[in-house]
Amino acid sequence: MRASELFTPTLRETPAEAEIASHRLLLRAGFIRKAAAGIYTFLPLGWRVIHKIEGIVREEMDRAGGQELLLPIIQPAEVWQESGRWELYGEEMFRLKDRHGRPFCLGPTHEEIITALVRAEVNSYKQLPLLLYQIQNKYRDERRPRFGLLRGREFIMKDLYSFDRDEAGLQESYNKMYVAYSNVFRRCGLKFRAVEADTGAIGGNFSHEFMVLADAGEALVLFCRCCDYAANVEIAPASPRPAPAGDDQPLELGKVHTPGRRTVEEVCSYLGVDPRRLIKTILYEADGQLVAALVRGDRELNEVKLQKVVEAARLNLADPDRVEEALGVPVGFVGPVGLGSVPLYADLEIPYLVNGVAGANEKDYHYVNVNPGRDFVPLKVADLRQVVAEEPCPQCGAPLEEARGIEVGQIFKLGTKYSLALGALYKDDRGEERPIVMGCYGIGISRTMAAAVEQHHDEHGIIWPVSIAPYQVVIIPAAVRDTAQREEAEKIYAQLRAEGVEVVLDDRDERAGVKFVEADLIGYPLRLTVGKKTVAQGTVDWKWRWSTEERAVPREGLARRVKEAINAALQEPGGFYRGFPGI
RNA sequence: CGGGAUGUAGCUCAGCUUGGUAGAGCACCUGCUUUGGGAGCAGGGGGUCGCAGGUUCAAAUCCUGUCAUCCCGACCA
């Protein structure tokens, strides 16, 4: 491709709407443009990257036995009503009606439609297992789209669904996908971790998320330095540890005046107690009913854990005004002692407390010498708190590390949730009807593109891994008006193309500086510069985008050397980033 | 959905407080010079000031409504 013909409108200045690196750089370098909030056009360079990622995904899915098909974007309401998710999905679903008033939606995901397909076409155990996948636009009307491609309303996703006869078959499919996903992200040149994860609203009972490690990531992951343990903080189990040594003998419950002290910090400094002795009482609405969660003052509550323990379909922090209305106490003074009918859910650490401090359920008062078991009895004691770095690994006990991650893929065991709801059954070898056992496995293609930029960029622009770069090489003649330089560059261009290298010739009549700056911004992995000096001495200047080093290499045999270097880079995508900080 | 902010040229923004008929830099077009890290000079084109009402002799500017976008929070296969 000639740069003079390439449609890559670059921006010298950063668009005001872009906050994070990937959004900023993809806009500036001319890969994407915004059409509406959370909806983007992919320009030629951006679309090439998407194709590269899709290509890698296809190869790995096919290698694992997957078969590609294409499901509709517009889906009829019926199948969603059958699974019960037409109601459950709520506002996040884009809904529409046809001219006859029949309800449809833009598919936010495809479990229903593919299960309906398999229900109709698969009847016998002989047709199983089956791995079907598609790469498609998906639609979710996010309350708040943000971060460019990382959280859009229209996005490109690969998802594969596995259909097996039984649990053992599902486990096998799941393992295949785990391996395939690891291959995909390794080949994309990304530093990632597979972490144990919550299954969320999609249902099912076992899941891993694939996280690209980057500071812009919305997820927090914990991983062990010594063993292979890694988990999303949402589900990482805490090990209970005793409260600090204090008074061993329970003292008499007492009420103290704490005017205006609402927060843990305020109460603790006012009363001169360690936050570890405080009982933090947080009120939630679980399916409309008020519940109280108790954690130590120095801990953070984990809502995902609470939701599971409470067994609520919907759980959200209770509105402070509603709490005051229901309990007659401002939230800062609510405590477990004498809280009436509100069910108490206590973290594992709470029963270890001796002579703790808690709200007195009376404005401007707290209780001291609160003793769990004596002064209140929780409905349930369970792991409710957030684990933090340096706590012991649940597998081996070594201190955990934490990192931020961008979720680019997730694999689930669904079991029979959808096959039962939609009646996807098969006859086994004894003629008995049984539900198909399902799994689902997603990769955010467009999100992976953004994640790659988050992980691989510098102050000048993007640094694409060779495997997903829009083009592998750019040739820059320093001055195209110099016939010798121009002809030399044209020759190299023709030779590289003959070798099958994906190359851009920057044949524009621009100053060399402009071409260098744009090449850095766009992030071509390899740059070959032809100048007056290199022509005279029979060399070209060779520079990798991720390196600061530039060296003159002989013009003789250049095309083959480039081809070999590109192949080497494709073989070991992460190898070129050894210099990058990582884990 | 709650809180905050912003909509003026393709991009970044000034002008708004104190109403008087629209500006800068970059980008674009033409010419000359320049040519290995976003060049210089000269000339030129481009905006119903988000939209709709209202106040006024007069509105980018004041008032009301509305739409859009961004940030924080809530939410999130």
Side-chain angles (χ1 to χ4, degrees), chain A residues 185-205:
Chain A
F185 297 118
R186 183 184 52 74
R187 287 182 60 190
C188 286
L190 298 168
K191 287 189 295 288
F192 69 95
R193 278 270 180 163
V195 305
E196 294 175 18
D198 182 43
T199 53
I202 197 165
N205 45 32

Side-chain angles (χ1 to χ4, degrees), chain A residues 390-413:
Chain A
E390 300 307 323
E391 288 195 49
C393 167
Q395 258 178 40
C396 75
L400 291 170
E401 275 187 67
E402 68 178 22
R404 301 210 73 87
I406 299 165
E407 183 199 331
V408 288
Q410 185 163 17
I411 59 180
F412 294 88
K413 286 188 189 177

Side-chain angles (χ1 to χ4, degrees), chain A residues 105-174:
Chain A
C105 69
L106 302 182
T109 175
H110 290 75
E111 283 84 15
E112 278 78 0
I113 202 90
I114 197 155
T115 306
L117 174 80
V118 167
R119 162 178 71 187
E121 310 302 335
V122 171
N123 308 299
S124 160
Y125 71 97
K126 293 174 190 166
Q127 292 169 285
L128 300 174
L130 202 49
L131 303 178
L132 301 174
Y133 75 96
Q134 65 153 3
I135 297 175
Q136 252 272 344
N137 279 2
K138 299 208 177 194
Y139 297 84
R140 290 187 200 164
D141 195 359
E142 292 279 347
R143 279 179 182 186
R144 191 183 156 203
R146 55 182 142 174
F147 306 140
L149 295 185
L150 284 180
R151 187 164 289 277
R153 295 193 292 174
E154 176 181 80
F155 50 97
I156 305 169
M157 189 119 204
K158 181 284 307 184
D159 49 14
L160 183 145
Y161 297 95
S162 67
F163 302 89
D164 281 285
R165 303 172 191 179
D166 50 29
E167 270 301 318
L170 172 59
Q171 184 63 49
E172 207 170 303
S173 295
Y174 190 90

Side-chain angles (χ1 to χ4, degrees), chain A residues 99-347:
Chain A
R99 62 169 67 193
H100 307 290
R102 289 186 286 245
F104 291 83
C105 69
L106 302 182
T109 175
H110 290 75
E111 283 84 15
E112 278 78 0
I113 202 90
I114 197 155
T115 306
L117 174 80
V118 167
R119 162 178 71 187
E121 310 302 335
V122 171
N123 308 299
S124 160
Y125 71 97
K126 293 174 190 166
Q127 292 169 285
L128 300 174
L130 202 49
L131 303 178
L132 301 174
Y133 75 96
Q134 65 153 3
I135 297 175
Q136 252 272 344
N137 279 2
K138 299 208 177 194
Y139 297 84
R140 290 187 200 164
D141 195 359
E142 292 279 347
R143 279 179 182 186
R144 191 183 156 203
R146 55 182 142 174
F147 306 140
L149 295 185
L150 284 180
R151 187 164 289 277
R153 295 193 292 174
E154 176 181 80
F155 50 97
I156 305 169
M157 189 119 204
K158 181 284 307 184
D159 49 14
L160 183 145
Y161 297 95
S162 67
F163 302 89
D164 281 285
R165 303 172 191 179
D166 50 29
E167 270 301 318
L170 172 59
Q171 184 63 49
E172 207 170 303
S173 295
Y174 190 90
N175 292 346
K176 277 185 195 164
M177 283 300 120
Y178 188 99
V179 171
Y181 273 45
S182 300
N183 289 340
V184 165
F185 297 118
R186 183 184 52 74
R187 287 182 60 190
C188 286
L190 298 168
K191 287 189 295 288
F192 69 95
R193 278 270 180 163
V195 305
E196 294 175 18
D198 182 43
T199 53
I202 197 165
N205 45 32
F206 195 69
S207 178
H208 282 88
E209 287 167 336
F210 286 77
M211 297 283 190
V212 167
L213 302 174
D215 291 338
E218 294 182 87
L220 194 62
V221 301
L222 294 164
F223 58 93
C224 181
R225 290 173 191 151
C226 301
C227 70
D228 63 353
Y229 181 79
N232 190 314
V233 72
E234 290 174 350
I235 65 149
S239 58
R241 291 192 292 183
D247 320 321
D248 291 326
Q249 291 306 309
L251 303 173
E252 197 183 332
L253 187 69
K255 192 192 282 185
V256 293
H257 192 50
T258 50
R261 272 65 175 188
R262 295 159 182 274
T263 67
V264 170
E265 201 181 321
E266 285 166 1
V267 173
C268 288
S269 65
Y270 184 72
L271 296 177
V273 296
D274 191 311
R276 287 177 287 190
R277 300 259 305 266
L278 201 92
I279 298 169
K280 192 153 65 172
T281 308
I282 308 164
L283 290 149
Y284 276 82
E285 273 185 67
D287 295 332
Q289 199 210 342
L290 218 52
V291 301
L294 311 177
V295 294
R296 245 166 48 178
D298 61 322
R299 301 301 195 186
E300 292 300 323
L301 181 79
N302 180 322
E303 289 189 15
V304 172
K305 291 179 180 177
L306 179 64
Q307 180 157 16
K308 278 187 191 152
V309 171
V310 174
E311 292 175 6
R314 285 191 171 275
L315 181 84
N316 49 322
L317 198 60
D319 180 68
D321 293 338
R322 274 211 50 192
V323 171
E324 191 159 356
E325 193 181 308
L327 303 176
V329 189
V331 285
F333 304 97
V334 175
V337 182
L339 196 53
S341 59
V342 179
L344 302 175
Y345 295 89
D347 180 64

Side-chain angles (χ1 to χ4, degrees), chain A residues 525-552:
Chain A
L526 179 59
R527 186 181 85 191
L528 301 174
T529 307
V530 175
K532 196 182 277 180
K533 198 170 124 194
T534 70
V535 171
Q537 64 188 28
T539 61
V540 297
D541 286 331
W542 172 303
K543 183 180 173 299
W544 292 108
R545 174 65 179 86
W546 52 80
S547 165
T548 51
E549 201 184 321
E550 180 161 41
R551 56 200 172 94

